[in-house]
Amino acid sequence: MSRASNQSSLQAVIAELRRAAWPLVAFSAAINILMLTAALYMLQVYNRVLSSHSLETLTALTVMAVVALLALAILETVRSQLLIATGIWLNGRLSPVLLAASVEQAAGKRGNGGARTLRDLEQFGNFVTGSAIFPILDAPWAPIFFAAIFLLHPWLGWLALGGGIALFLLAVLTELVTREPVAHANSAQSKAYAQAEAAIRNAEAIQAMGMLQAMMSTWKPLQKAAAEGQATASLRSAVLAAAARFLRLGLQIGVLGLGAYLVVHAEASPGAMVAASILMGRALAPVEQAIGTWKAVVSARSAYQRLSGVAGARREEAPILPLPRPEGRLVVENVIVAREGGGEPILKGVSFQLEPGEVLAVIGPSAAGKTSLARLIVGAATAGHGRVLLGGMDVAQWATADRGQHVGYLPQDIELFSGTVAENIARFQELNEQSFRDVVRAACEAGVHELIKGLPKGYHTEIGEAGAVLSGGQRQRIALARALYRDPAFLLLDEPNSNLDRDGEQALSNALQGLKAAGRTIVLITHRSNMMESVDKVLVLQRGQIDLFGPRSDVLRAMEERARAATAAPRLGIVSA
């Protein structure tokens, strides 16, 4: 079992990132102090060397300046290496969290979140480790340069400070005028990505039914809207960046002009005039750079907000404390599952209980809630109300990695992963001598061992992405072996014979008989009557509610009586007429 902390996963990572940022802050402080080297060197040369004609002073100043610049280069290199190391750490720390959170959300919503969150992480990580982060690191030290200018002369200081405020206002204006187009562009791009991923997933149907052009007719406007939004934001940002550059260069000319005026009136030295120009350029550089990279800042912020929506909802977990193997007792207590977007709930107060070793068949018409119930039972979704207990433990509170080893699940939509047959059956756990024996045992129990031996490389056959080299029936039988891997205490099979031929159905029937004899608790979701021979109880769902539940013979008898009554009713109506 795992114990969630009070922090979300993203909050925990950001807290660690803040602690890791302190060395970057320290290096940035040293770098910005050393940036005063050129201005101080210029000031001393004008004030001391030119007036005294002392070559010894010039040599000493030059040596000190070169040493300071060398230290500056070393510190900048180290800071860049720290940023790169931080980016690698951030990716390694957060990408597993994001993938896990995306899988959990996609399972809960029965949707496909895709890999957008990993793209967002890459975008945010590139911002953190790229040049766009330097203005943020350097901006807090701008007051040092403004203070130095004030020390040279108050008039120069006020001019530089006024220019800094004007540049800051330009940065705020850049944020205001680019926020909306960037938001629209990101929204359209997300929808375009989602449509493209859906089209690629369903490529076979699209090609077979000639849907490509129709799909593109809805995809192109989204892609166009994304490109237009990015273009609008880029144009506005470029205009304001040009205005900021004009203002900064104008301010430097203004400082030189004002400095010259002060020199003429003997209120400042020539060195102060030149040094003030250098210092002001350095003080205003972070603001100007921020305006030039504002699009990257906005995009990184949007990516972070999307990451917060995924990882921000996932609690940081403590190390897993494994629970004992459950005995297989299943209790479903008044579960209610709301329909996304509102409307009538999918499941409405469903309750039942299975004892260890019992086999239950869940039947009912389409959209009765069978698959939603199955996903609740195995912990792939959570109920809005009620709970599901397996061996007395709430499956929603049981750590997935621990619970999963005791549960076998064959979903309605079979999905195998790129890798070998053995890796898929072993659920991609490490393969060694013992685990491979477990793989073979599961394949034999599923009746698929001989089929696998007939593949080109047997258990080491690469099945391709989504099991592309296998037929539908082969994928379903291998997925059944995956469900049986390491003898789980509980099994849920959703339409396990939907793609099987006669041999496959016979193998499935034999497997069920063996599992029942071994005392495994099994839930079957099926429409076929030939699966009823192996079940102990039957649950009939109608519109999200239990219509019938009980021993197989009682439920089937009740269904037959209803069928006879339904066929007799029209005849009675004709006779009475």
Side-chain angles (χ1 to χ4, degrees):
M1 182 178 179
S2 67
R3 178 174 52 83
S5 70
N6 293 327
Q7 282 186 316
S8 72
S9 298
L10 186 61
Q11 287 173 337
V13 172
I14 295 302
E16 294 176 26
L17 186 61
R18 288 195 184 102
R19 289 193 293 271
W22 283 113
L24 291 172
V25 172
F27 276 103
S28 296
I31 287 170
N32 279 273
I33 291 173
L34 289 173
M35 283 289 183
L36 295 169
T37 299
L40 293 175
Y41 179 76
M42 186 69 65
L43 183 64
Q44 295 302 315
V45 167
Y46 270 93
N47 292 348
R48 296 179 181 274
V49 176
L50 295 182
S51 60
S52 66
H53 301 283
S54 172
L55 294 179
E56 292 81 2
T57 302
L58 177 62
T59 301
L61 289 173
T62 302
V63 170
M64 287 189 290
V66 169
V67 172
L69 292 177
L70 181 60
L72 174 64
I74 293 172
L75 289 176
E76 286 187 328
T77 302
V78 173
R79 184 174 69 168
S80 296
Q81 290 179 339
L82 281 175
L83 282 171
I84 293 171
T86 301
I88 295 173
W89 169 84
L90 180 66
N91 184 76
R93 175 70 172 82
L94 199 52
S95 55
V97 173
L98 291 172
L99 182 58
S102 298
V103 169
E104 290 171 0
Q105 287 194 4
K109 296 179 180 178
R110 296 193 66 191
N112 181 20
R116 179 61 196 263
T117 53
L118 297 180
R119 289 195 294 267
D120 288 334
L121 175 60
E122 181 181 7
Q123 185 176 27
F124 181 68
N126 288 339
F127 170 77
V128 170
T129 59
S131 59
I133 196 69
F134 288 136
I136 297 175
L137 293 174
D138 293 336
W141 312 108
I144 296 175
F145 299 98
F146 286 121
I149 298 172
F150 269 101
L151 290 175
L152 295 174
H153 197 282
W155 288 12
L156 295 174
W158 286 116
L159 178 61
L161 184 60
I165 293 173
L167 273 179
F168 176 77
L169 293 177
L170 275 178
V172 174
L173 183 60
T174 302
E175 155 70 8
L176 295 176
V177 301
T178 58
R179 180 190 300 169
E180 185 176 351
V182 169
H184 286 316
N186 288 336
S187 176
Q189 193 68 68
S190 296
K191 294 177 182 177
Y193 277 138
Q195 282 204 6
E197 289 174 351
I200 293 171
R201 286 197 310 272
N202 298 280
E204 185 177 340
I206 289 174
Q207 286 291 90
M209 295 183 285
M211 296 167 56
L212 183 59
Q213 293 303 319
M215 290 288 296
M216 291 184 68
S217 67
T218 60
W219 176 79
K220 283 181 178 179
L222 293 173
Q223 193 70 12
K224 182 180 179 182
E228 289 176 347
Q230 292 288 356
T232 300
S234 297
L235 178 60
R236 294 177 181 178
S237 180
V239 170
L240 290 172
R245 190 172 299 109
F246 167 79
L247 178 59
R248 184 180 66 79
L249 294 175
L251 284 169
Q252 283 194 295
I253 292 174
V255 165
L256 286 173
L258 179 59
Y261 174 83
L262 294 173
V263 171
V264 169
H265 287 78
E267 294 186 27
S269 66
M273 175 187 71
V274 177
S277 176
I278 296 173
L279 289 171
M280 192 194 66
R282 179 57 197 168
L284 300 183
V287 182
E288 184 187 6
Q289 292 171 4
I291 294 174
T293 59
W294 199 260
K295 180 183 171 185
V297 174
V298 174
S299 297
R301 184 178 61 194
S302 299
Y304 177 77
Q305 290 171 346
R306 289 190 294 270
L307 293 178
S308 298
V310 177
R314 191 175 193 269
R315 299 291 98 184
E316 184 78 350
E317 292 185 345
I320 292 175
L321 302 176
L323 293 175
R325 176 183 173 91
E327 74 277 14
R329 178 176 289 105
L330 177 69
V331 179
V332 178
E333 294 182 350
N334 194 30
V335 294
I336 298 175
V337 176
R339 192 178 302 275
E340 190 173 354
E344 186 179 15
I346 300 173
L347 293 176
K348 296 174 279 189
V350 174
S351 299
F352 64 91
Q353 180 173 327
L354 283 182
E355 295 302 319
E358 288 187 325
V359 181
L360 170 70
V362 180
I363 62 176
S366 297
K370 302 185 299 297
T371 298
S372 296
L373 177 62
R375 296 171 65 249
L376 278 179
I377 292 174
V378 297
T382 55
H385 181 271
R387 58 179 184 167
V388 177
L389 305 176
L390 179 60
M393 180 62 193
D394 190 339
V395 297
Q397 303 299 324
W398 198 341
T400 303
D402 185 36
R403 183 195 66 229
Q405 63 181 325
H406 305 303
V407 173
Y409 180 43
L410 179 63
Q412 185 175 7
D413 299 323
I414 304 300
E415 188 74 36
L416 298 179
F417 303 95
S418 180
T420 66
V421 171
E423 287 172 336
N424 273 271
I425 294 177
R427 308 180 186 185
F428 283 87
Q429 297 177 7
E430 182 181 358
L431 280 175
N432 50 41
E433 185 177 351
Q434 178 58 48
S435 60
F436 188 74
R437 281 200 296 266
D438 293 334
V439 166
V440 175
R441 185 182 300 113
C444 291
E445 289 179 354
V448 75
H449 177 65
E450 295 299 324
L451 184 152
I452 294 173
K453 287 200 305 182
L455 295 175
K457 294 183 180 179
Y459 284 90
H460 300 291
T461 301
E462 290 282 345
I463 64 173
E465 187 175 354
V469 304
L470 303 174
S471 68
Q474 289 173 328
R475 287 199 298 271
Q476 192 159 38
R477 295 178 70 180
I478 290 174
L480 175 61
R482 180 180 64 186
L484 299 179
Y485 178 68
R486 286 194 171 167
D487 193 23
F490 174 80
L491 283 158
L492 195 148
L493 311 178
D494 192 351
E495 300 290 351
N497 56 349
S498 58
N499 295 310
L500 299 184
D501 54 16
R502 181 176 300 177
D503 292 339
E505 287 202 343
Q506 184 59 49
L508 174 62
S509 178
N510 294 338
L512 289 176
Q513 293 294 339
L515 291 167
K516 183 178 179 180
R520 300 292 169 260
T521 306
I522 305 171
V523 174
L524 289 172
I525 297 177
T526 183
H527 286 97
R528 300 188 183 181
S529 58
N530 60 349
M531 298 292 294
M532 294 294 179
E533 299 176 359
S534 304
V535 307
D536 302 305
K537 294 180 178 178
V538 176
L539 185 150
V540 182
L541 277 178
Q542 290 281 358
R543 298 177 63 87
Q545 293 178 308
I546 293 181
D547 184 32
L548 294 170
F549 175 68
R552 178 188 61 184
S553 57
D554 295 346
V555 173
L556 294 181
R557 187 183 309 111
M559 293 176 66
E560 291 174 357
E561 291 174 356
R562 286 184 180 181
R564 284 196 298 268
T567 56
R571 296 178 183 175
L572 292 174
I574 293 173
V575 171
S576 61

